[in-house]
Every structure is written in structure tokens, then in C-alpha cells.
Amino acid sequence: MEQVTFPAARILAIETSCDETACAVLENGRVLLASTVASQMEVHARYGGVYPEVASRQHILAVVPVVEQTLAQAHLALADVDAIAVTRGPGLAGSLVVGMNLAKGLALGAGLPLVGVNHLEGHIYSAWVYHAGEVAPPEPQFPLLALLVSGGHTELNLMESHLTYKRLGATLDDAAGEAFDKVARLIGLGYPGGPLIQKAAEDGDAQRFKFPRAWLEGTFDFSFSGLKTAVLHEVRRLEAEGRPLPVADLAASFQAAVVDVLAAKTVRAAREFGAREILVAGGVSANRALRQALQSQQEFPVNIPSLSLCTDNAAMIAAAGYFRFVHGHVGPLDMDVLPTWPLS
Ligand code: KG4
Ligand code: ZN
């Protein structure tokens, strides 16, 4: 397929939608010059989840040093960038406003255009990013089928061109990441749930518990709340018997149930809608079992970002910001992107 050439532009992006304070500088929508992610995970771990008020205070402390560190890493000054991108939403209001205010201030002060970016669109665009110095991987090819699996969203989108999304299906209840987090708590693993379940599952028997798969035949929707309840019942049953919880087996069996449904429905949607490839994005795309399940099928090429780009970061915001910028979606301060998802 013919490649469209976009203009050269260097974007500095800021992301503060949840509990990561992040900044990145990206060239031409793909080449990552520098990226910093200051995680607040340890601060929130003692609360068993993200504590919004604490998150915004941590962003206030971290955001300026994170931007300075990123520019220093890239050996650039603000004058060397062409536009500033910032996460506009969805996310925690008190956290978003910290990044947005700094981005507005920097854009005003340096006379730069400001581009508002939707966080979910950012996750999808993480698939375009590669590190400076690496050989450029092939660009994602349209039409593509994007499985978006984050802490708050689980959905399948058909992308026929840049910045366009046809939502084919979504979760009817919990998001996949949310299910990982809740089940981790149920089986005593704590926060952050996804990585802890993955780790526990490594030593577990995925066949030991036959947890339900909600296929929701005839749709591309998902549902994870029944699975979560099934784990809860199993935990209660085992506890009533006074036996120690087989945490590894519970984790492995739960993870297998999530992965089976996500992988099978993604491939089915790609087939039905004639996608050229599958793209997976969002925090749950870091999950090894999900990556393996999708990469082991031969029918479609699969594009999954490297691990550091799966969870929240600013490189992905810079990438989405670049494509918005070159398509003319620029403020200056009146950012035209909605903080909700889907965009249309
Ligand atoms: O995309 P993300 O960093 O933040 C949101 O935009 O929500 O996703 C966070 C979610 C959390 O629910 C976390 O438990 C999950 O991604 N997650 C994982 C893994 N790493 C992060 N889930 C399963 N396996 C992982 N390795
Ligand atoms: Zn995210």
C-alpha cells in the first residue's frame, strides 16, 4: 500500500491522567527521542488503588522536573519543539488539570500550538512509536483492528484511516484491567493487580478451575463481571473449607479465561471486517499470556507495543498529538478533543 508522507514535526507531550507523571519528545509521529515516566505506584499501593487527591498532589510535585528531565535527555530546549500535546481526558479530573495547566503555560510562554489528546487514542497510537536509533518497524496498515484493553476500557475498534474509529464492541461491565485489579484483591495479591496476577500465574495450573467465558455470541462485546463473581464464589468455597488459597492456580485460571475471550474475539473481528492487521494497546496489552495468545495465531500480523509503551506514558500522547497536529486539530488553547471516548 502507498505510504502517505507527513510533515516533519517534533512534539513534546505531557500525560498526567492517572497515577503516572509522564513527558516525552517524539519526532514525526514515530521516533522517540526521550521519555520519562514518574510512577506513583508505591504511594498508592498502601491504599490498595489510586487515591485521586494524593495523585494530583504528586503530579504537582513531579511534573516540572519530569519535563525538564525529558528535554535534557533529548538534548533539546523548548524552542526546538513544534507543538505541545497534552492528555485532555478521560482520567482523574484533579490529575488531568495539572498536566493541562503546565502544557497551556508552556505553549503560551513559548508561542507554540497546543494539541489536546484523548488518552485512549494515545494508547492506540503507541503502536506507531519506536526508539530513536532502532530500525523503523513497519507502520501499522489500515484497515486495522484495534483491541484496546486498559484499566477503564475494553473494546474493539476498526480503524480505516488515521484518527477514525468504528467501535465494534465493548465491555458491558468491567474493563479487562479492572477485572485483573479486582480479582487480584480477591485472592489477596493487592495492587497493582495485572502484573501481580501475571506473576502468580506463572507457577499456576490454568486448567484447575473452569471459570466461565462470556462469549456473547453474535456480538463483539465483552463481559467480565460473571468471571469475577465465579472467582469470588470459588474463593469463598475454599475459605469455608479452611484451606489455604491456591493463589497461583486461581490467578492462572482467571487469566486464561480473560485471555481466551479477548484473543478469540479479536481474531474473529479482524476476519469479519477484513482487517490487514491486529493492534493491541492499553495496560493489559503488557500481559504475557495475551501477547502470546495473539502472537501465536498465524492469520493476522499483530502489532503490540513494547512493554514500556503499553502502560501509561507520554510517548503515545505525543504520537496521537502528532497525527492530530498534522491533520489540523490544534487549539491554540481551546482544545477540540473531547475528554470522553469514543470521539464521535
Ligand atoms: O492503560 P493503563 O496503564 O491505564 C489506564 O488507562 O487505565 O492500564 C492499567 C491497567 C490496570 O488495570 C493494570 O492492572 C493492567 O492495566 N495491567 C495488566 C498488566 N500490566 C498492567 N493487566 C494484566 N497483565 C499485565 N501484565
Ligand atoms: Zn492508560
Side-chain angles (χ1 to χ4, degrees):
M1 195 180 98
E2 91 186 78
Q3 290 280 337
V4 185
T5 313
F6 289 109
R10 209 178 267 151
I11 310 283
L12 178 137
I14 298 173
E15 147 72 39
T16 62
S17 68
C18 191
D19 61 340
E20 256 100 30
T21 318
C23 179
V25 181
L26 186 84
E27 242 168 29
N28 309 337
R30 298 202 69 198
V31 188
L32 186 57
L33 302 184
S35 174
T36 313
V37 179
S39 173
Q40 307 173 4
M41 205 176 284
E42 281 179 20
V43 182
H44 298 289
R46 79 181 80 136
Y47 304 107
V50 178
Y51 193 137
E53 174 65 21
V54 173
S56 41
R57 286 169 190 271
Q58 292 290 320
H59 285 307
I60 291 168
L61 294 175
V63 74
V64 170
V66 160
V67 170
E68 285 174 346
Q69 189 182 323
T70 309
L71 280 170
Q73 226 181 66
H75 304 290
L76 294 171
L78 203 52
D80 301 318
V81 308
D82 300 293
I84 299 206
V86 63
T87 307
R88 172 89 171 78
L92 301 171
S95 291
L96 286 162
V97 81
V98 177
M100 277 165 47
N101 281 343
L102 179 62
K104 285 179 185 179
L106 291 175
L108 260 182
L112 292 170
L114 182 62
V115 187
V117 173
N118 185 292
H119 183 82
L120 283 314
E121 185 167 66
H123 272 302
I124 288 174
Y125 272 91
S126 58
W128 269 258
V129 178
Y130 64 93
H131 291 85
E134 284 177 8
V135 178
E139 214 171 306
Q141 298 289 307
F142 302 117
L144 62 82
L145 200 283
L147 169 68
L148 184 57
V149 268
S150 71
H153 292 77
T154 295
E155 54 187 50
L156 286 166
N157 280 286
L158 181 69
M159 264 183 101
E160 288 173 310
S161 59
H162 277 292
L163 309 174
T164 64
Y165 311 93
K166 187 189 274 177
R167 187 151 77 167
L168 307 177
T171 182
L172 303 179
D173 38 61
D174 290 350
E178 192 179 353
F180 268 94
D181 295 335
K182 287 178 175 168
V183 166
R185 219 169 296 154
L186 274 180
I187 62 176
L189 286 174
Y191 171 87
L196 290 172
I197 289 205
Q198 174 177 310
K199 178 125 204 12
E202 281 168 14
D203 306 316
D205 174 5
Q207 309 295 325
R208 167 132 178 225
F209 299 102
K210 306 279 177 259
F211 289 136
R213 276 92 169 133
W215 291 108
L216 306 179
E217 291 298 347
T219 76
F220 291 110
D221 289 330
F222 300 97
S223 166
F224 298 106
S225 71
L227 169 60
K228 187 185 62 189
T229 308
V231 177
L232 174 67
H233 287 316
E234 197 56 50
V235 167
R236 288 210 176 126
R237 193 183 64 78
L238 292 161
E239 279 173 349
E241 289 175 3
R243 289 195 279 153
L245 282 185
V247 172
D249 294 346
L250 285 166
S253 303
F254 161 77
Q255 181 176 262
V258 176
V259 167
D260 277 358
V261 178
L262 288 176
K265 292 196 90 157
T266 301
V267 172
R268 213 179 289 164
R271 199 178 295 142
E272 185 164 325
F273 288 87
R276 296 181 66 177
E277 64 178 70
I278 289 170
L279 184 160
V280 193
V284 183
S285 65
N287 185 268
R288 198 176 308 139
L290 178 62
R291 297 168 84 91
Q292 278 169 358
L294 282 165
Q295 278 159 345
S296 65
Q297 57 77 40
Q298 308 291 318
E299 204 174 336
F300 298 96
V302 181
N303 191 328
I304 312 183
S306 60
L307 286 181
S308 63
L309 293 170
C310 290
T311 46
D312 289 349
N313 64 85
M316 67 187 203
I317 303 302
Y322 168 85
F323 287 101
R324 290 220 151 249
F325 178 62
V326 298
H327 284 90
H329 297 260
V330 180
L333 289 185
D334 177 23
M335 294 177 278
D336 69 346
V337 74
L338 290 174
T340 52
W341 183 266
L343 291 176
S344 47

